[in-house]
Amino acid sequence: MKVKVVTRILEANERIAAENRRLFDEARVYVINLMSAPGAGKTSLLEKTIKELSGKIKPAVIEGDIAGTADAERISSLGVPVIQINTGGACHLDANMINEVLGSLPLKETDLLFVENVGNLVCPAEFNIGEDMKVMLLSITEGDDKPLKYPLMFQESSALILNKIDLLPYTNASIEKIRKDAMSLNPSLKIFEVSCKTGKGIAEWTDWLTEKVKS
Amino acid sequence: MHEASIALSVLEIAVDNCRKAGYNRIESIRLKIGRASGIMIDALLFAFNAVKTDTIAAEASVIIDEIPVSGLCSSCGKDFVTEEKYVLCCPECSSTSFNIKTGRELEIIDMEVF
Ligand SMILES: Nc1nc2c(ncn2[C@@H]2O[C@H](COP(=O)(O)OP(=O)(O)OP(=O)(O)O)[C@@H](O)[C@H]2O)c(=O)[nH]1
Ligand SMILES: [Mg+2]
Ligand SMILES: [Zn+2]
């Protein structure tokens, strides 16, 4: 006997993401889902951003890693509320993992929640967690062919941060090519060039971010 | 890369719907998977075979309808279907303003139960 189902496979995730969304709206928290390949500089960007916003915007962080607490310790040393999620193998954070830790965060006293996703250029882009926007980080040492090889994350993100531009002299990566390919995948993408080492470009990014959070 | 969690979701939804319909064995499950969904079909089938053991879907086969990427160009007005996973410009007129219509599907359509 045939049973009609017609259900989106990720429907359960979408439902929980919507519930997270409701909790975020209620507490008036702006939420960023930060995604990149391993080592592109997500935690470094958070450190720089949090320092730059200090006194203006109250942040909190959820750290997603397959294992370990190193990233959460880096954030915690800045005096910012942080929760580490260990996915135990899963290549991305999903809405349910976020939902389970929300009770342990001071959401009401938070303006901006950063969720550092598991380092991976593919899967995190598939799973909404209830965020206001997805932000993608690409370090220029990863190569300028990445937009066309991993299009989905570029398409799903509102902003692209090109990190490690201090290393530009040592690579053959073309920022122009990255910009052109990324924009062809996503014409409304906002692109920043930064170095988390020298601090170059960070202020431009945090100014833009502040505007988003306050509006 | 997350085919395992997708396989688990498929199993959960299928078992749930089978029980709701008042049956307790699943014979086959039909899925609609878009080419731009990011899912590797072989990996999904492999993962499903691993998670289905000791469930009411233990004997179930998975049938997959692969959906190509298609869209409608806003410049030349033509519908297009492509073999590619991603479309950067209209295959007819090379315009970059178009709307994607299919290719991101990830759905369970129906199943045979007994
Ligand atoms: N030269 C240079 N190095 C950087 C820059 N940003 C980060 N790094 C270095 O890159 C390495 C990885 O940085 P992380 O911030 O840990 O990267 P991540 O994306 O959080 O890594 P995972 O969480 O493991 O995926 C560290 O050694 C950083 O010091 C930069 O702008 N320039
Ligand atoms: Mg990190
Ligand atoms: Zn056209």
Side-chain angles (χ1 to χ4, degrees):
Chain A
M1 129 108 198
K2 188 172 281 241
V3 176
K4 283 249 170 262
V5 183
V6 203
T7 303
R8 298 189 50 221
I9 295 170
L10 295 179
E11 189 244 8
N13 188 71
E14 294 301 327
R15 221 175 36 234
I16 301 168
E19 163 67 10
N20 292 349
R21 192 64 265 177
R22 202 185 55 72
L23 294 171
F24 295 144
D25 285 346
E26 211 175 79
R28 305 177 60 86
V29 187
Y30 195 87
V31 181
I32 290 189
N33 183 357
L34 184 62
M35 311 178 293
S36 81
K42 295 179 293 301
T43 312
S44 304
L45 181 78
L46 289 183
E47 290 168 329
K48 283 277 183 220
T49 305
I50 286 166
K51 281 180 195 151
E52 188 77 22
L53 296 178
S54 154
K56 289 174 260 177
I57 284 179
K58 282 194 244 87
V61 177
I62 295 176
E63 283 290 343
D65 287 288
I66 289 178
T69 55
D71 283 359
E73 281 156 25
R74 283 166 66 184
I75 299 296
S76 183
S77 72
L78 301 174
V80 168
V82 57
I83 301 228
Q84 177 80 55
I85 298 178
N86 282 144
T87 62
C91 47
H92 60 271
L93 292 173
D94 64 29
N96 194 44
M97 298 178 201
I98 300 296
N99 191 265
E100 281 172 356
V101 301
L102 283 186
S104 329
L105 275 175
L107 281 189
K108 291 226 154 59
E109 289 86 62
T110 301
D111 300 318
L112 176 56
L113 172 64
F114 293 101
V115 179
E116 178 179 336
N117 219 308
V118 179
N120 178 331
L121 267 188
V122 186
C123 314
E126 298 273 352
F127 293 82
N128 291 327
I129 55 176
E131 68 275 62
D132 289 277
M133 71 169 159
K134 294 184 166 74
V135 172
M136 173 182 186
L137 207 72
L138 180 74
S139 57
I140 52 127
T141 47
E142 290 167 65
D144 56 20
D145 56 353
K146 291 301 165 292
L148 298 187
K149 278 191 180 166
Y150 300 93
L152 183 64
M153 196 172 283
F154 292 86
Q155 285 171 323
E156 294 287 314
S157 297
S158 305
L160 169 66
I161 298 179
L162 297 174
N163 188 30
K164 307 196 187 179
I165 53 164
D166 57 292
L167 298 177
L168 210 47
Y170 311 101
T171 76
N172 56 2
S174 157
I175 297 247
E176 276 325 295
K177 177 167 165 52
I178 296 174
R179 279 185 174 273
K180 183 171 142 283
D181 291 346
M183 294 297 286
S184 74
L185 290 165
N186 180 356
S188 59
L189 190 66
K190 178 82 186 155
I191 303 180
F192 298 93
E193 295 174 23
V194 312
S195 166
C196 291
K197 190 171 177 202
T198 67
K200 194 167 173 222
I202 296 292
E204 206 186 330
W205 146 248
T206 52
D207 284 350
W208 182 78
L209 186 58
T210 304
E211 216 163 276
K212 290 270 170 197
V213 176
K214 296 256 152 106
S215 70
Chain B
M1 270 167 94
H2 49 266
E3 281 78 1
S5 49
I6 301 286
L8 263 178
S9 300
V10 169
L11 183 68
E12 270 169 29
I13 297 169
V15 168
D16 211 41
N17 278 276
C18 177
R19 290 248 160 81
K20 265 193 212 141
Y23 293 82
N24 43 34
R25 273 260 164 287
I26 302 174
E27 191 171 275
S28 65
I29 306 171
R30 200 150 59 94
L31 308 182
K32 198 193 259 188
I33 305 229
R35 283 227 180 95
S37 67
I39 293 300
M40 274 181 65
I41 288 174
D42 287 350
L44 177 62
L45 294 176
F46 182 83
F48 186 78
N49 281 334
V51 297
K52 73 179 184 180
T53 49
D54 298 328
T55 72
I56 61 170
E59 311 287 314
S61 57
V62 172
I63 303 154
I64 291 179
D65 292 354
E66 242 190 301
I67 310 294
V69 177
S70 74
L72 171 65
C73 177
S74 335
S75 297
C76 70
K78 284 198 179 117
D79 284 304
F80 60 82
V81 181
T82 162
E83 291 302 304
E84 306 292 324
K85 282 194 172 159
Y86 293 97
V87 182
L88 294 177
C89 62
C90 167
E92 296 284 338
C93 74
S94 301
S95 158
T96 52
S97 60
F98 53 81
N99 291 305
I100 292 297
K101 293 202 300 194
T102 66
R104 292 283 309 274
E105 295 81 357
L106 208 53
E107 289 165 27
I108 302 187
I109 308 168
D110 55 28
M111 52 191 196
E112 287 289 343
V113 296
F114 60 92

